[in-house]
Amino acid sequence: MTESPAGEGTAPRKTALDAKHRALGATMTDFAGWDMPLRYGSEREEHLAVRSRAGLFDLSHMGEITLTGPQAGALLDHALVGNLSKLAVGRARYTMICDADGGILDDLIVYRLADEEYMVVANAANAQTVLDALRERQDDPATGERFGADVRDDRDAYALLAVQGPEAVGILRKLTDMDLDGLKNYAGQRDMVAGRSALVARTGYTGEDGFELFVSPDDALAVWEAVSAAGADAGLVPCGLSCRDTLRLEAGMPLYGHELSTGLTPFDAGLGRVVKFEKETNEGRFVGREALEAAKERARSAPPRKLVGLVATGRRVARAGYPVVAVADGTVIGEVTSGAPSPTLGKPIAMAYLDPGYAEAGTEGVAVDIRGSHEPFDVVALPFYKRG
């Protein structure tokens, strides 16, 4: 099974909620080999609903990989850049998997579900790459023997729903007896939701408070309908991938293939904090360590381009791949990685990697080359939006 875009003659995969999305009138799109809802009506209204009330997403295209065994944590310490063996049971952590040259293969969230059980959640388009890499890295470099851990492809075992927005807690409280107020950010636990077993995680990709619900595909429709009914009075609406993208952009969250790639190390992306050189397992060795140590040193001595926010002074939208230029002489000083109109700010916004001399908030004389026209943008610090 592959998470790459469906090829010619290959129909996209469908989630357990496909019929529901179509009944709701969703506009569907092929995303990473899956048929996914792009929007149900107005993507702007869906975006604003998440910011002010709540939205319900189907994210079943994401890739779940389970690791079990006495050395599951040690295997993750070897394979990823984070110190996952130190993660407490019931907690989650944002991390990355890199190649031997330090390039980012994917950014991930890892949940520790039990002493000897972890779940890795990969981006849809990279799930097979991550699964293959974890299996290839099952040999312990310290002993030459395999880690005492199994790597299981659980992509077909889960459907994933997300309830995001300021009303999310109140909505979910109607459907479960678990202590939602005590569930911290980046934490997860198994419990019952609407009478179905679920892993309830306080995580998301919108910049708002909310929860992600990992359930059996057989239970997905019942949970979706229960959440929809519980959220009706609070103004919850179904939301597609289009508004999820503008929500994460406003929150300054990177997207693989835009802000992150194999051509960048975590230090190039301004995310060097996720690299934990102080690991105790495997004598501190992990895949890409030497390259990442060199990347850290380069970032100190010759800072790379910095990821910044851009806010348009006009109405034209900067899209990924557009050059960023110095107004004075038209010199290219960077490149846009993501851009869209911001429903919250009411202006076009973008993220871009800029040369250090132009990357400080408030720097003047910066424009984006939009089809030959140099449109002025203000350089701002990320994120554009942070919930109060």
Side-chain angles (χ1 to χ4, degrees), residues 140-287:
D140 185 344
T143 65
E145 300 178 356
R146 292 179 73 81
F147 285 101
D150 293 323
V151 178
R152 186 173 71 238
D153 182 357
D154 269 350
R155 285 176 286 180
D156 289 335
Y158 291 103
L160 176 57
L161 283 62
V163 190
Q164 299 282 298
E167 298 292 337
V169 176
I171 292 168
L172 202 58
R173 188 175 283 124
K174 299 177 183 179
L175 303 174
T176 183
D177 293 329
M178 68 183 295
D179 179 15
L180 296 176
D181 292 330
L183 189 67
K184 297 179 181 180
N185 194 36
Y186 273 75
Q189 67 183 62
R190 291 188 174 104
D191 214 307
M192 303 299 288
V193 176
R196 269 69 176 183
S197 178
L199 170 62
V200 181
R202 201 159 202 158
T203 48
Y205 194 51
T206 64
E208 296 296 339
D209 190 14
F211 303 89
E212 294 183 319
L213 311 175
F214 296 84
V215 301
S216 165
D218 292 339
D219 293 332
L221 180 58
V223 174
W224 175 282
E225 291 185 335
V227 173
S228 296
D233 291 343
L236 174 141
V237 301
C239 294
L241 295 184
S242 184
C243 84
R244 187 169 182 254
D245 188 51
T246 53
L247 288 160
R248 72 92 194 167
L249 176 57
E250 287 184 349
M253 295 178 169
L255 175 64
Y256 195 88
H258 290 253
E259 288 73 40
L260 307 175
S261 71
T262 53
L264 296 170
T265 72
F267 294 97
D268 297 325
L271 292 167
R273 65 182 182 276
V274 306
V275 181
K276 306 300 182 183
F277 293 112
E278 69 278 10
K279 302 181 191 187
E280 297 175 3
T281 56
N282 310 319
E283 299 178 358
R285 291 190 293 265
F286 60 93
V287 176

Side-chain angles (χ1 to χ4, degrees), residues 300-359:
R300 285 175 175 168
S301 59
R305 283 182 169 177
K306 181 180 178 182
L307 187 64
V308 303
L310 299 175
V311 178
T313 59
R315 307 305 302 175
R316 299 191 70 183
V317 179
R319 300 294 186 183
Y322 286 7
V324 183
V325 300
V327 172
D329 57 9
T331 302
V332 175
I333 57 172
E335 182 176 310
V336 174
T337 55
S338 298
S342 165
T344 304
L345 276 63
K347 300 176 181 179
I349 60 173
M351 287 197 283
Y353 281 108
L354 296 190
D355 291 344
Y358 294 87

Side-chain angles (χ1 to χ4, degrees), residues 19-107:
K20 184 65 178 181
H21 300 318
R22 295 176 191 280
L24 291 170
T27 298
M28 306 297 287
T29 188
D30 180 354
F31 183 84
W34 288 79
D35 212 7
M36 298 298 296
L38 188 63
R39 67 181 69 85
Y40 297 85
S42 163
E43 57 198 53
R44 180 179 183 276
E45 291 305 315
E46 292 171 23
H47 178 113
L48 294 175
V50 175
R51 286 281 179 255
S52 61
R53 304 186 305 278
L56 177 59
F57 298 81
D58 178 10
L59 306 177
S60 301
H61 60 311
M62 300 294 282
E64 296 86 6
I65 302 163
T66 302
L67 290 85
T68 57
Q71 290 188 298
L75 171 54
L76 288 172
D77 284 351
H78 165 62
L80 312 182
V81 302
N83 196 2
L84 285 313
S85 63
K86 296 298 185 183
L87 187 62
V89 173
R91 299 308 302 268
R93 182 167 295 164
Y94 177 79
T95 187
M96 294 180 181
I97 183 168
C98 293
D99 60 25
D101 295 327
I104 303 167
L105 292 173
D106 201 14
D107 61 334

